[in-house]
């Protein structure tokens, strides 16, 4: 039966450890689970200074059969992954509590605190404007060939982290708690039954895909939030002042760094760029499609800018799907424009970019940044402030970054 463990660090580790023990007993055997517990308790006693426990632990490990050693090593590896997740979850909760307690004062070492300190030290509006004009931060991803954990396992750990976050909600019903516990058991069982490391030596493109996993799952949402935090801090002390250029960007050496790596060929770099472009095109397509569904504003209630209407007219005749949307939503120009951008990105995804990059003939890409950033900026300026500050502004920041 589901229990209430609370969501402090010790209880979270206890919960995850209990579930892992149950999975170990079910998927391996009760004997393996008991052996693992015996080793864990002896190790704990040995760390506490019990000399007899250390000798018994050495003897027990020395006498393990190969299959037992495999299961025990896998159990502790997964256990430490889960403990790391619990500690990260606890740290996030602590930071959120700190931010909640200090609000609206920014927390220590935040962007908001940095702007507060600059303002308090006497930095004028003109000085801040000059500082912002030269602001540029580029985060660069680097390869770690020794990192053997698969994206499959990274995804499982991220889902477990999401469940822990859901469990921390204060108003959970008992049935919801039971459901989350069952989901944890399912994810940990799946992790146990999955090979932790790749069976083949990772290629450069495997490293590229691992880097893109973090772009897809984390940076895509987090970097626009960082940009928003700076804008909010500036608005607090220097109203109307903002960074006018793309100051925060993401780069990568993975798949392009040829310093001593013979595996990074021009073909590998071309494939790397294809993978990066493919992810960008698809993420932006999803964003445009989502925004199109949300911006169902009627032209009868809001006056769309002439610039946008002219842009739409120049795009005729529309692709079949966009023409269908125009018939169905005849008076919703924002939805129509964004659906057209989503369709453009879907079309761009069909371009054989790898072949284009390796060819010697000049090539003009089907999708250029300004083809999308300009219409989005036009839409953003025309929207009511309460609408523009939500998803549309996030989409614009994602295009800039």
């Amino acid at each position: 039966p589901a229990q209430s463990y609370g969501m402090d660090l010790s209880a979270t580790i206890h919960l995850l450890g209990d579930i892992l023990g149950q999975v170990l007993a079910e998927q391996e055997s009760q004997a393996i689970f008991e052996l693992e517990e015996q080793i864990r308790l002896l190790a704990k006693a040995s760390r506490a200074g019990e000399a007899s426990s250390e000798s018994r632990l050495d003897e027990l490990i020395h006498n393990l059969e190969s299959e037992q050693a495999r299961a025990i090593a896998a159990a502790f590896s997964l256990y430490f992954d889960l403990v790391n997740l619990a500690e990260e979850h606890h740290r996030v909760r602590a930071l959120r509590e700190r931010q909640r307690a200090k609000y609206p004062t920014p927390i220590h070492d935040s962007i908001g605190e940095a702007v507060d300190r600059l303002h308090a030290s006497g930095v004028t509006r003109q000085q801040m404007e000059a500082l912002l004009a030269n602001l540029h931060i580029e985060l660069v991803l680097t390869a770690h060939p020794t990192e053997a954990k698969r994206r499959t396992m990274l995804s499982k750990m991220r889902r477990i982290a999401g469940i822990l976050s859901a469990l921390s909600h204060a108003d959970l019903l008992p049935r919801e708690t039971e459901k989350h516990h069952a989901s944890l058991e399912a994810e940990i069982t799946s992790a146990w039954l999955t090979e932790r490391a790749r069976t083949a030596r990772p290629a450069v493109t495997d490293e590229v895909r691992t880097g893109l996993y973090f772009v897809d799952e984390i940076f895509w949402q987090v970097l626009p939030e960082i940009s928003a935090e700076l804008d909010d801090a500036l608005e607090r002390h220097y109203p109307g002042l903002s960074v006018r250029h793309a100051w925060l960007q993401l780069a990568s050496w993975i798949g392009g760094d040829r310093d001593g790596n013979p595996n990074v060929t021009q073909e590998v770099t071309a494939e790397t760029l294809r993978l990066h472009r493919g992810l960008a095109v698809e993420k932006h397509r999803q964003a445009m499609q989502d925004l199109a569904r949300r911006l169902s504003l009627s032209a009868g209630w809001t006056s769309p800018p002439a610039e946008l209407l002219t842009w739409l007219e120049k795009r005729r005749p529309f692709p079949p799907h966009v023409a269908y949307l125009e018939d169905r939503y005849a008076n919703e120009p924002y939805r129509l424009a964004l659906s057209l951008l989503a369709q453009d990105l879907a079309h761009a995804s069909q371009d054989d970019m790898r072949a284009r990059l390796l060819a010697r003939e000049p090539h003009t890409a089907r999708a250029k940044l300004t083809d999308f950033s300009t219409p989005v900026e036009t839409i953003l300026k025309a929207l009511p402030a309460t609408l523009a500050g939500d998803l549309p502004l996030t989409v614009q920041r994602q295009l800039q970054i």
Side-chain angles (χ1 to χ4, degrees):
Q3 306 176 47
S4 175
Y5 281 82
M7 292 310 296
D8 64 304
L9 178 58
S10 176
T12 304
I13 293 175
H14 187 189
L15 170 62
L16 295 172
D18 282 355
I19 294 176
L20 177 58
Q22 181 179 338
V23 169
L24 191 58
E26 291 175 352
Q27 302 302 324
E28 292 291 329
S29 68
Q30 184 65 27
I32 287 292
F33 167 67
E34 292 173 357
L35 181 59
E36 180 272 331
E37 281 295 283
Q38 188 179 1
I39 291 174
R40 184 179 67 85
L41 293 173
L42 284 173
K44 186 175 180 180
S46 176
R47 286 199 307 274
E50 294 183 15
S52 60
S53 296
E54 184 175 353
S55 60
R56 287 163 57 200
L57 179 62
D58 288 343
E59 182 181 1
L60 186 58
I61 292 177
H62 181 76
N63 291 326
L64 287 177
E65 297 178 359
S66 59
E67 187 58 25
Q68 290 176 320
R70 175 206 60 82
I72 297 301
F76 277 108
S77 293
L78 183 51
Y79 175 73
F80 289 129
D81 279 343
L82 296 174
V83 169
N84 287 339
L85 275 185
E87 291 177 345
E88 289 173 5
H89 174 70
H90 176 71
R91 174 166 172 74
V92 169
R93 288 186 63 242
L95 288 171
R96 290 176 65 85
E97 287 297 328
R98 195 180 309 162
Q99 188 167 357
R100 185 179 292 110
K102 293 195 68 176
Y103 188 82
T105 303
I107 63 173
H108 183 55
D109 282 343
S110 65
I111 293 173
E113 186 195 47
V115 176
D116 278 3
R117 290 175 62 185
L118 288 170
H119 182 260
S121 68
V123 173
T124 67
R125 184 181 182 87
Q126 291 72 25
Q127 288 173 321
M128 178 58 76
E129 192 169 11
L131 177 64
L132 296 177
N134 292 308
L135 179 63
H136 182 74
I137 296 174
E138 185 178 69
L139 306 177
V140 181
L141 304 178
T142 59
H144 290 276
T146 56
E147 173 57 72
K149 190 175 292 182
R150 301 165 58 194
R151 293 187 306 280
T152 300
M153 291 299 294
L154 292 172
S155 297
K156 294 180 190 302
M157 293 299 110
R158 185 158 175 80
R159 287 194 293 272
I160 292 172
I163 299 169
L164 291 179
S165 179
L167 275 169
S168 67
H169 293 172
D171 60 345
L172 283 179
L173 298 172
R175 183 174 180 179
E176 291 173 327
T177 302
E178 289 180 350
K179 180 181 178 182
H180 290 318
H181 286 188
S183 296
L184 278 177
E185 184 176 355
E187 288 293 347
I188 292 173
T189 299
S190 177
W192 177 259
L193 296 174
T194 299
E195 294 282 356
R196 290 180 57 84
R198 299 179 181 90
T199 55
R201 182 188 176 116
V204 175
T205 49
D206 290 319
E207 296 171 13
V208 172
R209 290 184 173 90
T210 298
L212 288 176
Y213 166 85
F214 292 101
V215 176
D216 186 6
E217 294 291 327
I218 298 172
F219 290 120
W220 183 258
Q221 294 298 334
V222 170
L223 295 189
E225 292 178 9
I226 293 173
S227 181
E229 186 179 351
L230 176 60
D231 286 343
D232 292 343
L234 290 171
E235 186 62 26
R236 187 165 58 250
H237 294 298
Y238 305 92
L241 194 61
S242 63
V243 189
R244 302 298 181 185
H245 59 276
W247 63 274
L248 178 60
Q249 294 187 302
L250 193 63
S252 177
W253 284 351
I254 312 173
D257 183 6
R258 310 220 178 143
D259 185 12
N261 188 348
N263 297 316
V264 182
T265 61
Q266 63 178 13
E267 288 80 9
V268 166
T269 300
E271 176 65 7
T272 296
L273 291 167
R274 185 192 71 82
L275 291 169
H276 274 262
R277 177 183 183 275
L279 177 63
V281 166
E282 178 56 20
K283 295 296 287 187
H284 287 304
R285 186 198 66 78
Q286 292 173 3
M288 297 296 174
Q289 190 174 59
D290 185 23
L291 190 56
R293 289 166 178 162
R294 297 196 191 195
L295 292 187
S296 54
L297 285 64
S298 169
W301 294 98
T302 60
S303 299
E307 185 180 353
L308 182 65
L309 297 179
T310 301
W311 180 82
L312 282 170
E313 287 303 314
K314 287 181 178 179
R315 294 300 307 272
R316 294 184 185 279
F318 295 147
H321 179 66
V322 179
Y324 161 77
L325 291 176
E326 184 181 33
D327 288 339
R328 183 165 182 172
Y329 308 105
N331 213 26
E332 299 180 8
Y334 298 110
R335 183 199 292 263
L336 189 64
L338 289 161
S339 297
L340 190 56
L341 293 178
Q343 191 73 19
D344 289 343
L345 287 161
H347 178 64
S349 69
Q350 299 170 13
D351 203 357
D352 186 357
M353 189 53 63
R354 185 176 185 276
R356 300 286 192 185
L357 289 165
L358 292 172
R360 294 188 178 275
E361 301 78 21
H363 169 62
T364 300
R366 295 185 184 182
K368 295 180 180 178
L369 177 60
T370 53
D371 295 338
F372 304 93
S373 59
T374 300
V376 168
E377 184 177 359
T378 301
I379 291 170
L380 199 63
K381 289 179 179 177
L383 292 175
T386 50
L387 286 178
D390 186 30
L391 184 61
L393 187 54
T394 298
V395 169
Q396 185 189 47
R397 286 173 174 144
Q398 287 167 336
L399 284 167
Q400 289 175 342
I401 294 167

